[in-house]
Amino acid sequence: MPDSNNQDAIALLKADHRTVEELFEQFEGATSASKKQKIAMQVCMELTVHATIEEEIFYPACEGHVEEDLLKEAYVEHDGAKVLIAEIEAGSPDDDYYDAKVKVLSEQIEHHVREEEARMEGMFSQARKAGLDMDALGEQLRARKEELVATYKASGLPKPELATFTETTV
């Protein structure tokens, strides 16, 4: 595996995708509530950091270079994931819908990853074709990721900030 300090933006983001996929597999195989909780919290951390660096750095760099609809969908998909992440973080494996929420989050992320990584028309492919400086973006993403991980490990995950949803009462 390449040295993570030398990964370009796409390699770094794809490595994050593989990490989360592995964590979801571990969750499915976990049998104890404490193991499920630990893995789910790691998933929440990984996805929160990943979504933040994409929204702060990668997606803005892609604006005007990739299909606008693809970017808009990505923001909405992130918001959907953030809602589930907050629910999972606030819950426990003893809750009736805990496993279902993790499963649905897994399915949403799988869909999102497919759209970003699609060979010809995916966001990553379009961004690379547009000539974005993936090495420079990789450095920015890595630095911000390190900052966020340190912050979240010290103080916990923040309340999700939704880019596309508006508060409504149910």
Side-chain angles (χ1 to χ4, degrees), residues 60-85:
C62 289
E63 286 177 16
H65 301 285
V66 304
E67 292 174 30
E68 184 180 356
D69 287 349
L70 203 55
L71 271 174
K72 285 181 177 179
E73 282 181 40
Y75 280 109
V76 173
E77 289 167 353
H78 276 196
D79 280 358
K82 289 174 191 175
V83 169
L84 278 172
I85 288 166

Side-chain angles (χ1 to χ4, degrees), residues 47-59:
L47 289 175
T48 299
V49 170
H50 181 82
T52 302
I53 65 174
E54 280 189 330
E55 291 176 9
E56 288 180 358
I57 299 165
F58 190 73
Y59 292 171

Side-chain angles (χ1 to χ4, degrees), residues 68-138:
E68 184 180 356
D69 287 349
L70 203 55
L71 271 174
K72 285 181 177 179
E73 282 181 40
Y75 280 109
V76 173
E77 289 167 353
H78 276 196
D79 280 358
K82 289 174 191 175
V83 169
L84 278 172
I85 288 166
E87 288 277 318
I88 292 164
E89 189 184 30
S92 83
D94 298 330
D95 297 344
D96 284 342
Y97 294 100
Y98 191 82
D99 284 10
K101 288 174 183 178
V102 174
K103 178 67 174 172
V104 169
L105 179 61
S106 171
E107 291 168 351
Q108 286 181 349
I109 297 304
E110 184 180 326
H111 168 85
H112 180 73
V113 165
R114 267 195 317 270
E115 288 192 343
E116 286 187 338
E117 294 186 9
R119 253 178 112 64
M120 299 304 283
E121 69 281 352
M123 185 183 304
F124 293 170
S125 178
Q126 289 181 32
R128 197 175 292 285
K129 285 179 195 165
L132 296 178
D133 186 344
M134 293 301 167
D135 292 328
L137 280 171

Side-chain angles (χ1 to χ4, degrees), residues 3-15:
D3 176 5
S4 65
N5 289 327
N6 295 325
Q7 288 178 319
D8 74 11
I10 292 173
L12 185 144
L13 295 172
K14 282 184 173 182

